[in-house]
């Protein structure tokens, strides 16, 4: 029922717009998402703003514009891009975290494809900056400059960017590194690799967004490889099959180990940076469901699995939402009821480059953006309402 999910996506968008959207320091033609609701005074003035959260805010605005383009949506999107440039106080490349920059490059790359947005100044430089950050020794990107930690949340989005921008060799290198070194016994993607004096040391933690970015990277590379080889949609070909097979295995692992008995994604990530993790997985499950090349029964089943996880999860999250002034507040735990955010209490602090959760995770912009991503994904995958011959 596509109309139902489109309406829910509209409400999710409206909730972010009314509660979080604000001019940067009162400047005209700017917009960013305030990182908490209810906000602290510091957050209202964008003393804290979290670069990579804003990248996902842009991505959600692109989702909404693709669903139904309007002058208002395009204007707000342009203002958010401008707001990032203003708040960063310098070029968008001036950020020591390569994962932050990769997320923004992905969002701006999608925005640039909208007819009424066009070329975005600074995007080409941002992409080049990311590519130039590849470590000559390992062949992959570090988490941040002068760092010996190489992780999937950096190299995954960088691989997606590389595949989308024609840098197929780089995309393949980054993907191969992950599948050669960071897949656990259940077929899930681990966090990364630390280079120690005694040798490489795997960081074995499992995060939902690591699964998501590798689903996205493999899907985008398979699409790009087949396009470069001139393979037509539906044509039987071995081109891209390795990555399609990887997607099938990873989707199966996520459904087996990452969902509850109702087929709902059950990674409880709380708020802070973790508030975005499930939304990112959903974004790329939806990409698999919609765009994975059709090569036979296996890919068809993989697409059905991915769609099933998105729609089951969207049903659960919508059921567990709160409503404030008719607009949703989404839960940080997609299998449990949302908690009403309140002023007071601790808001998420930045520690060692990561943002922790607020006392009530639902207060964090990251959590609400993931809910919006989920509603947009469900709207993309929903089927039109059917009418039976009995008129019911």
């Amino acid at each position: 029922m596509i109309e139902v999910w489109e309406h829910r996506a509209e409400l999710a968008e409206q909730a972010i717009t009314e509660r979080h959207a604000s001019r940067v320091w009162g400047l005209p033609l700017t917009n960013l998402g305030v990182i908490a609701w209810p906000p602290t005074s510091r957050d209202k003035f964008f003393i804290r703003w979290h670069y990579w959260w804003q990248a996902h805010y842009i991505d959600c605005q692109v989702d909404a514009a693709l669903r139904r383009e309007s002058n208002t949506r395009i204007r707000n999107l342009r203002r958010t891009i401008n707001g990032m440039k203003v708040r960063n106080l310098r070029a968008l490349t001036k950020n020591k975290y390569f994962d932050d920059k990769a997320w923004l490059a992905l969002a701006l790359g999608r925005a640039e494809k909208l007819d009424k947005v066009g070329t975005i100044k600074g995007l080409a430089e941002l992409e080049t900056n990311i590519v130039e950050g590849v470590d000559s020794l390992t062949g992959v990107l570090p988490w941040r400059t002068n760092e010996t930690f190489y992780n999937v949340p950096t190299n995954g989005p960088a691989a997606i960017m590389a595949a989308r921008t024609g840098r197929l060799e780089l995309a393949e290198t980054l993907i191969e590194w992950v599948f050669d070194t960071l897949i656990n016994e259940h077929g899930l993607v681990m966090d990364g690799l630390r280079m120690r004096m005694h040798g490489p040391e795997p960081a074995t933690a499992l995060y939902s967004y690591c699964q998501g970015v590798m689903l996205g990277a493999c899907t985008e590379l398979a699409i790009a490889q087949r396009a470069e080889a001139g393979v037509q949609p539906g044509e039987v070909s071995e081109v891209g099959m390795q990555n399609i097979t990887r997607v099938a295995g990873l989707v199966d692992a996520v459904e087996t180990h990452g969902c509850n008995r109702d087929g709902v994604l059950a990674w409880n990530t709380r708020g802070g940076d973790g508030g975005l993790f499930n939304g990112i997985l959903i974004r790329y499950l939806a990409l698999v469901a919609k765009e994975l090349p059709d090569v036979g029964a296996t890919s068809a089943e993989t697409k059905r699995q991915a769609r099933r996880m998105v729609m089951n999860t969207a049903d659960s999250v919508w059921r567990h939402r709160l409503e404030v002034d008719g607009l949703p507040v989404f839960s940080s735990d997609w299998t449990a009821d949302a908690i009403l955010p309140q002023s007071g209490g601790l808001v998420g602090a930045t520690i060692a480059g990561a943002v922790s959760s607020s006392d009530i995770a639902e207060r964090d912009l990251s959590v609400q953006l993931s809910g919006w991503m989920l509603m947009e994904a469900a709207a993309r995958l929903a089927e039109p309402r059917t009418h039976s011959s009995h008129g019911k």
Side-chain angles (χ1 to χ4, degrees), residues 241-391:
M241 276 304 299
Q242 183 181 35
N243 286 301
I244 294 169
T245 302
R246 285 169 172 160
V247 169
L250 188 48
V251 165
D252 199 52
V254 169
E255 187 169 52
T256 301
H257 300 287
C259 292
N260 65 14
R261 67 181 65 187
D262 298 317
V264 175
L265 286 177
W267 255 287
N268 184 5
T269 56
R270 298 268 303 141
D273 284 343
L276 284 164
F277 293 178
N278 286 344
I280 291 166
L281 173 53
I282 283 291
R283 175 177 296 287
Y284 294 110
L285 280 170
L287 177 74
V288 169
K290 198 86 171 170
E291 304 293 342
L292 187 71
D294 293 309
V295 293
T298 299
S299 63
E301 175 55 24
T302 296
K303 294 172 83 161
R304 281 193 293 271
Q305 279 180 286
R307 182 185 182 278
R308 187 163 62 234
M309 280 187 272
V310 173
M311 300 310 295
N312 286 346
T313 303
D315 276 327
S316 173
V317 171
W318 190 257
R319 280 199 317 274
H320 288 298
R321 79 195 185 284
L322 285 173
E323 281 195 4
V324 177
D325 297 329
L327 297 175
V329 174
F330 297 112
S331 178
S332 63
D333 178 350
W334 284 359
T335 64
D337 289 342
I339 299 170
L340 182 65
Q342 297 175 6
S343 298
L346 291 175
V347 292
T350 302
I351 304 167
V355 182
S356 63
S357 177
S358 296
D359 274 355
I360 298 175
E362 283 80 352
R363 189 176 183 180
D364 292 342
L365 172 64
S366 56
V367 171
Q368 301 311 315
L369 285 175
S370 273
W372 183 6
M373 278 187 233
L374 176 56
M375 295 304 123
E376 293 287 358
R380 284 196 296 280
L381 299 183
E383 294 170 350
R385 189 189 301 273
T386 56
H387 301 278
S388 74
S389 58
H390 300 290

Side-chain angles (χ1 to χ4, degrees), residues 17 34 104 120 143 149 198 244 246 276 292 321:
T17 301
V34 177
L104 182 59
I120 296 172
W143 176 41
F149 180 43
H198 59 268
I244 294 169
R246 285 169 172 160
L276 284 164
L292 187 71
R321 79 195 185 284

Side-chain angles (χ1 to χ4, degrees), residues 24-25 27 32 47 49-51 80-97 100-101 104 108 121-123 125-126 129 145:
V24 180
W25 303 320
L27 296 172
L32 282 178
I47 292 170
W49 68 297
H50 307 330
Y51 183 111
T80 307
I81 294 168
N82 193 40
M84 283 211 72
K85 293 175 178 178
V86 169
R87 178 59 188 82
N88 207 47
L89 301 174
R90 53 209 165 148
L92 293 173
T93 53
K94 299 300 180 183
N95 183 316
K96 64 182 178 180
Y97 293 91
D100 285 13
K101 292 186 285 192
L104 182 59
L108 295 183
K121 188 177 179 182
L123 173 56
E125 290 81 1
L126 184 62
N129 176 266
T145 54

Side-chain angles (χ1 to χ4, degrees), residues 109-127:
R110 294 181 69 226
E112 198 174 65
K113 288 182 168 57
L114 293 167
D115 289 339
K116 292 181 181 178
V117 174
T119 303
I120 296 172
K121 188 177 179 182
L123 173 56
E125 290 81 1
L126 184 62
E127 291 171 349

Side-chain angles (χ1 to χ4, degrees), residues 195-212:
M195 301 303 288
R196 303 294 197 192
M197 292 294 289
H198 59 268
E201 180 184 288
T204 59
L206 297 172
Y207 299 116
S208 51
Y209 73 151
C210 291
Q211 323 313 312

